[in-house]
Amino acid sequence: MAAARAAPRRNINYPGAPEAEITTQFSFVIQQKPLPVFRMMNTSGEFEAGVDVPEIAKDKSLVLKMYEHMNMTQIMDTFMAKRQRQGSVSFYMTAYGEEATHIGSAAALKDEDVVYAQYRESGVLFWRGFTLDQAMAQCYSTVDDLGKGRQMPVHYGSRAQNFQTISSPLSTQIPQAAGAAYALKRAGKNAVCIVYFGDGAASEGDFHAALNFAATLDAPCLFFCRNNGYAISTPTRSQYRGDGIGARGIGYGIPTIRIDGNDIFAVHEAVARARADALAKSRPILIEAMTYRLGDHSSSDDSSRYRPSGERDSWLKHAPIPRLREYISKQGWWSEADEKALHDKLFDSLMTAMRKAQAAKKPSYKEMFTDVLEPLHPMHAEQLAELEAHLKIHGSEYGLSTFADEPAPRQ
């Protein structure tokens, strides 16, 4: 009689997957069920059945502040997009339809938290106290620009707001944020780092490197993905076959949640909880905010060439600003007169800031050589001397009267 075969050990603790059980069943594994989308408030401005209304939604002054900042972002986008078409500024990017991802997340953060943005998060900066004057100075590259005119429009940065300067190359901010979060942890700071990026940026190698570093280093980093349906002209159906971006976080061992990015209360709840968890457990969190980009990718783009006819209009009813307007109206906090007064106030503020920027001088040409090496490197000194010799002869061709004479004081 043959001896009974010993049952296989259920776990061998291979170093690469120590918790994996042994099986005799062969199968290729694929995720069966998509991640759900967490929502609190529907498109009618009403909380879903069974949802506990968060305290933030009961705070009239705070909710109206959030609504005002969402409108500030949208009105500035409309205003500046038109100015770009008129040749007033060289470039612009809007965030139409994504305003709740800005304000909902920013309101859940603390001032000491470090922000790495992509280029569609101006609302986060405004919430932190960045002014319209500062924004216009940057877009018009004036002497008052904190970046001294060295960046493209909408590439904001502010040390006072703990907002790292935006860079154009896609997804470079993601591994930087993972490293910054690890530094905060090493320094014993009670703060997190949040990094914003789109679904397209998640196709870059930097995204994967950043998630793996943050996961293995237990860095308190909040990865906030705005999945708005398009990477410039590439729709998500052509970008990936997996379950969006959220499934990738799970693959890297990072706690993940998918939320309705057009529901400002869901965004706030997710970021507030993620921040608390990241600090308490010293680990990263991935938030995938599902939204829709109502505008073009940038002023260099024409989305009508690749979006199906009528698609954009069908998404207008899901936009975050009308949704929050429904809510505050049903609470008796808002009226048509309030709406008009807000728009008039914001438009007047924008006009004032724009006129100030248009009247301001450009940074000194000498700023090309500052903030690199101290003291000035001999090679740079030689180049500056050559430039000044050239301008003595041909300065009239450059409109030097529109530029400041000397570099701005170092801040």
Side-chain angles (χ1 to χ4, degrees):
M1 184 175 181
R5 181 178 298 175
R9 290 180 60 189
R10 308 318 299 171
N11 192 318
I12 300 183
N13 294 320
Y14 283 112
E19 298 180 8
E21 290 191 354
I22 297 296
T23 181
T24 57
Q25 302 299 314
F26 179 89
S27 66
F28 292 111
V29 178
I30 189 168
Q31 186 176 348
Q32 298 294 319
K33 187 177 180 181
L35 293 173
V37 178
F38 172 69
R39 169 190 285 178
M40 302 186 80
M41 182 177 67
N42 60 30
T43 56
S44 299
E46 299 170 344
F47 280 92
E48 299 279 9
V51 170
D52 291 330
V53 179
E55 290 302 313
I56 187 176
K58 303 172 186 177
D59 188 332
K60 177 181 176 180
S61 61
L62 182 56
V63 173
L64 293 184
K65 178 183 176 182
M66 296 169 84
Y67 183 70
E68 177 173 340
H69 276 74
M70 290 170 72
N71 276 274
M72 177 193 295
T73 301
Q74 186 180 85
I75 291 173
M76 179 172 174
D77 282 350
T78 302
F79 185 88
M80 292 304 294
K82 291 179 179 178
R83 294 300 177 272
Q84 192 281 329
R85 291 302 188 218
Q86 295 167 357
S88 184
V89 293
S90 61
F91 178 82
Y92 198 76
M93 300 189 80
T94 66
Y96 297 136
E98 301 177 46
E99 297 87 0
T101 64
H102 300 197
I103 307 306
S105 61
L109 299 170
K110 304 298 183 183
D111 290 344
E112 57 267 27
D113 296 330
V114 181
V115 177
Y116 282 82
Q118 189 161 349
Y119 36 59
R120 223 181 287 278
E121 286 83 28
S122 58
V124 177
L125 198 47
F126 287 137
W127 183 267
R128 291 190 151 210
F130 202 68
T131 67
L132 287 174
D133 282 347
Q134 290 174 309
M136 287 296 176
Q138 197 284 326
C139 288
Y140 280 88
S141 298
T142 78
V143 72
D144 298 316
D145 173 25
L146 297 177
K148 302 184 179 181
R150 295 166 176 157
Q151 285 272 29
M152 293 173 64
V154 304
H155 287 53
Y156 307 111
S158 173
R159 181 181 298 175
Q161 274 73 43
N162 224 352
F163 191 100
Q164 303 299 316
T165 301
I166 294 168
S167 57
S168 287
L170 194 62
S171 80
T172 55
Q173 78 278 14
I174 310 178
Q176 293 167 3
Y182 184 53
L184 290 172
K185 172 186 174 180
R186 291 289 302 270
K189 302 291 187 181
N190 188 38
V192 302
C193 185
I194 186 169
V195 56
Y196 297 87
F197 55 94
D199 46 278
S203 294
E204 295 285 337
D206 279 348
F207 166 82
H208 297 276
L211 263 65
N212 199 43
F213 269 114
T216 56
L217 295 173
D218 298 317
C221 187
L222 308 186
F223 295 97
F224 192 100
C225 176
R226 296 172 288 93
N227 192 332
N228 62 20
Y230 288 91
I232 307 182
S233 60
T234 304
T236 51
R237 64 179 177 273
S238 298
Q239 289 186 64
Y240 52 73
R241 285 293 178 269
D243 180 28
I245 310 304
R248 302 179 194 178
I250 296 171
Y252 282 107
I254 295 177
T256 299
I257 187 170
R258 175 176 287 160
I259 63 174
D260 183 348
N262 289 358
D263 173 3
I264 194 166
F265 296 122
V267 174
H268 183 276
E269 184 79 3
V271 174
R273 290 198 186 192
R275 183 184 187 278
D277 184 278
L279 287 175
K281 300 177 181 178
S282 187
R283 63 181 183 178
I285 305 286
L286 173 61
I287 299 171
E288 182 181 19
M290 310 307 293
T291 183
Y292 184 82
R293 196 193 78 206
L294 289 172
D296 297 328
H297 172 73
S298 72
S299 55
S300 303
D301 177 46
D302 178 6
S303 61
S304 66
R305 300 184 62 183
Y306 54 82
R307 283 204 265 213
S309 176
E311 180 184 276
R312 177 186 178 278
D313 291 343
S314 70
W315 276 95
L316 289 172
K317 62 183 178 183
H318 300 293
I321 291 180
R323 188 185 303 197
L324 186 57
R325 186 187 308 134
E326 285 287 331
Y327 175 75
I328 59 178
S329 296
K330 289 176 179 178
Q331 302 306 305
W333 298 346
W334 204 249
S335 65
E336 288 298 323
D338 293 323
E339 187 78 6
K340 184 180 184 305
L342 174 62
H343 281 238
D344 288 347
K345 181 183 78 169
L346 293 175
F347 184 79
D348 289 345
S349 298
L350 277 164
M351 286 296 296
T352 300
M354 183 196 71
R355 288 171 180 147
K356 179 180 178 181
Q358 288 180 321
K361 288 192 172 186
K362 301 295 184 183
S364 168
Y365 64 83
K366 297 176 184 177
E367 296 284 18
M368 289 190 288
F369 303 93
T370 61
D371 302 327
V372 180
L373 296 173
E374 184 66 35
L376 195 65
H377 190 277
M379 178 180 65
H380 293 159
E382 180 182 350
Q383 293 172 352
L384 175 58
E386 289 178 358
L387 176 59
E388 291 183 323
H390 173 81
L391 292 176
K392 284 182 180 179
I393 301 172
H394 304 287
S396 60
E397 303 295 327
Y398 293 91
L400 293 181
S401 62
T402 64
F403 292 82
D405 294 329
E406 296 294 333
R410 178 171 295 178
Q411 298 184 10

